[in-house]
């Protein structure tokens, strides 16, 4: 790829892996005038995009794929051969035995088979420290080409589902490289669509930064969860405590909740913990944070069982967090599993349309709430923030709200006769 071609967008970008990151990145690149080839082994994803629709529920995504043409294929070799820039956005799942790098390794092996001079290869998937130099670079060099003949960078994603398109274009980014030329080329590429700052560093620093930033969030949430548990014992409103503590210019406590779901924060924290262990250092704070966050579903289940009489109970929110249609590692699923023998459970989630994990999910809020003993808010969907408390108070048999996300206006709810329990 000649850097000058970037200005005229006369380069083709191949994206390997059309999950949340790859799909939203493809949309932003299309919007910024690039020719994009999206590649995924999942045929239904490819077919959906071929018809101008999108499998990822994210605002404006459907519109972009409807307006701009994306080439999509399941053929990885073809994608690599036809692209000047190849971006790897496949998953790196976590198993009890450790990180699963097979998707990244397979992608790199195919890239190596089809590598030619002046191609730019970018990894955006989250990686354990040392992977770029000891795994990715080694595989790409087996093509017979050396760094400098092709370009290589690690640019970890920082996309917050629910605001992905804005974040890709506005967040600052870390670019990890092992040679100067790759840094120049990669920075020029990202500067064509990223308005945030671009920071050049080494592979290892970039790998470490990604794990540190998500572990920071995970540990922060664990502290908030512990503070919320103490506030409950003291009869203090944890939401007020955290909001007022955050008025300090250097305090940024996150919100307590029913647990930390999603694919990334629990996984990235465990990636970092493994590095500590490999280096023979015990990370007490990460271990304690995992214990705290993993215990939250149990804590919420006990709160429910101790506060709500048997019978019908209404669960609001199955997604792992607000305004997304994603249930990966959702704390809601864990709480429901723990209380299912005690109640007749009705679940509402406007984003999750299917019978999911054996749980019947309704999008009819009145049906879910009618004659119910309690509402348990497990996901901070905006629709629940502004729920019509007066109207729903007339539907309920018992007026109890367990608000695990602290999103309900407690005083207003109490004025309609609700008893509100929060974390
Ligand atoms: N959570 C709390 N309290 C908070 C914030 C979050 O309990 O104050 C919970 C959420 O409910 C959720 C979990 O933590 O269950 C994680 O939510 P999150 O918004 O902190 O982060 P994620 O899981 O959405 O992380 C995403 C990831 N990106 C993608 O999945 C494409 C991650 O790789 C990004 O680094 C991260 O956003 C980000 O914020 O950059």
């Amino acid at each position: 790829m000649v850097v000058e071609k970037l200005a005229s967008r006369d380069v083709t970008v191949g994206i390997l892996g059309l999950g949340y990151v790859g799909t939203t990145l493809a949309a932003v690149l299309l919007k910024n005038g690039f020719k994009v080839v999206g590649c995924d082994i999942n045929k239904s994803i490819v077919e959906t995009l071929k018809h101008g629709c999108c499998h990822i529920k994210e605002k404006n995504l459907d519109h972009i794929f409807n307006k701009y043409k994306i080439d999509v294929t399941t053929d990885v070799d073809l994608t690599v051969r036809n692209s000047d820039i190849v971006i790897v956005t496949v998953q790196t799942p976590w198993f009890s035995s450790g990180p699963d790098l097979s998707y990244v390794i397979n992608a790199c092996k195919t890239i190596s088979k089809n590598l030619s001079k002046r191609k730019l290869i970018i990894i955006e998937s989250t990686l354990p420290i040392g992977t770029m130099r000891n795994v990715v670079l080694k595989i790409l060099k087996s093509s017979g080409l050396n760094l400098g003949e092709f370009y290589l960078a690690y640019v970890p994603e920082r996309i917050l589902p629910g605001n992905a398109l804005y974040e890709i274009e506005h967040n600052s980014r870390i670019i990890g490289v092992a040679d100067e030329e790759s840094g120049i080329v990669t920075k020029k590429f990202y500067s064509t669509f990223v308005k945030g700052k671009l920071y050049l560093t080494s592979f290892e620093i970039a790998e470490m930064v990604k794990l540190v930033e998500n572990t920071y969030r995970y540990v922060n949430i664990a502290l908030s969860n512990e503070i919320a548990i103490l506030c409950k014992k003291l009869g203090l409103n944890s939401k007020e405590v955290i909001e007022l503590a955050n008025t300090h210019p250097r305090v940024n406590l996150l919100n307590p909740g029913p647990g930390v779901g999603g694919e990334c924060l629990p996984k990235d924290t465990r990636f970092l913990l493994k590095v500590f262990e490999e280096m023979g250092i015990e990370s007490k704070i990460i271990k304690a944070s995992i214990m705290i966050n993993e215990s939250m579903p149990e804590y919420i289940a006990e709160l429910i069982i101790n506060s709500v009489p048997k019978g019908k109970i209404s669960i609001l929110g199955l997604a792992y967090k607000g305004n997304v249609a994603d249930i990966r590692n959702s704390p809601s699923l864990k709480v429901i599993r723990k209380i299912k023998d005690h109640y007749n459970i009705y679940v509402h989630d406007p984003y999750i349309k299917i019978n999911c994990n054996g749980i019947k999910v309704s999008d009819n809020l009145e049906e879910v709430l009618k004659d119910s003993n309690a509402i348990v808010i497990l996901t901070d969907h905006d629709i629940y923030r502004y729920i019509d408390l007066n109207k729903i108070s007339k539907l309920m048999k018992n007026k109890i709200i367990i608000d695990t996300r602290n999103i309900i206006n407690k005083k207003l709810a109490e004025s309609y006769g609700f008893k509100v329990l929060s974390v």
Side-chain angles (χ1 to χ4, degrees):
M1 172 193 71
V2 179
V3 177
E4 293 64 39
K5 284 166 66 179
L6 278 174
S8 60
R9 302 290 189 275
D10 183 18
V11 292
T12 300
V13 184
I15 296 182
L16 304 186
L18 297 174
Y20 225 109
V21 178
T23 305
T24 47
L25 179 58
V28 166
L29 291 171
L30 285 169
K31 197 163 72 77
N32 280 273
F34 287 94
K35 186 176 180 319
V36 178
V37 181
C39 179
D40 201 291
I41 52 174
N42 182 321
K43 286 194 174 66
S44 70
I45 289 178
V46 170
E47 284 311 307
T48 304
L49 288 166
K50 250 185 198 144
H51 291 88
C53 298
C54 185
H55 57 297
I56 300 283
K57 296 287 166 273
E58 183 72 36
K59 57 180 180 272
N60 296 331
L61 220 39
D62 270 325
H63 166 72
I64 290 176
F65 286 114
N66 209 288
K67 183 175 176 188
Y68 300 95
K69 181 173 172 1
I70 180 174
D71 286 342
V72 274
T73 173
T74 56
D75 187 334
V76 188
D77 294 88
L78 184 73
T79 303
V80 176
R81 278 202 300 277
N82 292 352
S83 301
D84 303 292
I85 300 173
V86 179
I87 306 178
V88 177
T89 51
V90 296
Q91 69 266 46
T92 48
W94 169 268
F95 295 109
S96 51
S97 54
D100 173 4
L101 293 179
S102 59
Y103 298 94
V104 170
I105 290 169
N106 290 338
C108 290
K109 284 179 176 171
T110 306
I111 292 170
S112 188
K113 263 185 355 189
N114 300 282
L115 195 56
S116 55
K117 286 189 175 179
R118 303 172 73 70
K119 268 194 203 300
L120 168 57
I121 311 303
I122 297 166
I123 311 292
E124 284 212 2
S125 307
T126 302
L127 300 173
I129 298 161
T131 308
M132 282 302 292
R133 197 176 299 276
N134 305 323
V135 179
V136 172
L137 181 53
K138 276 201 176 113
I139 294 172
L140 296 183
K141 279 184 165 178
S142 66
S143 66
L145 293 176
N146 269 315
L147 212 46
E149 292 176 294
F150 65 90
Y151 310 115
L152 176 63
Y154 176 59
V155 187
E157 55 85 10
R158 282 177 166 174
I159 300 171
L160 188 71
N163 197 24
L165 296 178
Y166 175 85
E167 294 227 337
I168 293 178
E169 290 187 319
H170 292 84
N171 288 355
S172 57
R173 301 295 293 272
I174 310 300
I175 299 175
V177 291
D179 69 303
E180 193 182 347
E181 191 64 12
S182 294
I184 293 167
V185 175
T186 306
K187 195 164 182 174
K188 274 200 184 302
F189 168 57
Y190 276 86
S191 60
T192 61
F193 64 95
V194 172
K195 299 174 180 64
K197 281 202 167 59
L198 300 170
Y199 297 94
L200 280 174
T201 185
S202 69
F203 281 156
E204 290 75 16
I205 295 275
E207 288 165 332
M208 180 72 168
V209 164
K210 173 63 184 176
L211 300 185
V212 165
E213 54 198 32
N214 276 352
T215 301
Y216 158 77
R217 292 176 63 84
Y218 189 87
V219 171
N220 184 324
I221 295 167
L223 176 59
S224 297
N225 283 334
E226 275 209 322
I227 288 167
I229 290 169
L230 178 60
C231 284
K232 183 143 201 67
K233 277 281 186 200
L234 294 168
L236 298 178
N237 181 326
S238 64
K239 182 177 180 178
E240 188 178 357
V241 167
I242 290 169
E243 280 176 354
L244 291 180
N246 284 343
T247 61
H248 185 293
R250 288 174 296 289
V251 173
N252 176 29
L253 269 171
L254 290 172
N255 300 314
V260 176
E263 181 67 14
C264 298
L265 267 61
K267 174 190 72 166
D268 299 358
T269 304
R270 285 164 174 80
F271 274 24
L272 189 58
L273 180 60
K274 191 165 171 54
V275 179
F276 273 100
E277 289 166 351
E278 285 164 354
M279 293 299 120
I281 307 168
E282 187 198 9
S283 168
K284 297 181 181 68
I285 195 165
I286 292 182
K287 281 183 176 172
S289 300
I290 290 173
M291 194 177 65
I292 294 161
N293 289 336
E294 291 296 305
S295 70
M296 289 312 286
E298 180 64 37
Y299 174 80
I300 297 295
E302 279 175 28
L303 177 64
I304 294 168
I305 292 166
N306 294 334
S307 321
V308 180
K310 287 189 183 296
K312 180 175 176 177
I313 193 168
S314 311
I315 302 291
L316 302 193
L318 203 60
Y320 81 86
K321 70 173 195 176
N323 311 322
V324 298
D326 190 338
I327 61 160
R328 288 177 297 174
N329 294 319
S330 173
S332 304
L333 291 169
K334 295 172 184 170
V335 172
I336 289 169
R337 264 199 295 275
K338 290 176 186 297
I339 65 170
K340 65 181 173 44
D341 298 335
H342 295 261
Y343 300 101
N344 177 16
I345 297 175
Y346 281 67
V347 180
H348 177 270
D349 192 310
Y351 291 83
I352 313 288
K353 294 279 178 271
I354 50 168
N355 283 2
C356 173
N357 287 45
I359 299 162
K360 185 176 172 303
V361 185
S362 165
D363 58 1
N364 179 333
L365 193 53
E366 284 200 24
E367 168 200 307
V368 167
L369 296 180
K370 187 148 180 43
D371 300 328
S372 178
N373 277 332
I375 297 171
V376 182
I377 298 175
L378 291 176
T379 307
D380 44 335
H381 290 318
D382 285 343
I383 181 180
Y384 303 141
R385 244 175 246 280
Y386 311 110
I387 201 165
D388 182 340
L389 293 162
N390 180 26
K391 182 179 170 189
I392 66 170
S393 67
K394 298 177 175 70
L395 291 168
M396 307 283 294
K397 183 179 167 195
N398 264 316
K399 297 194 185 77
I400 299 172
I401 297 180
I402 296 183
D403 179 9
T404 73
R405 297 291 187 163
N406 285 341
I407 58 175
I408 287 292
N409 179 325
K410 193 169 180 178
K411 284 191 171 48
L412 184 64
E414 286 167 344
S415 71
Y416 290 119
F418 280 105
K419 179 185 175 194
V420 181
L421 302 171
S422 52
V423 171

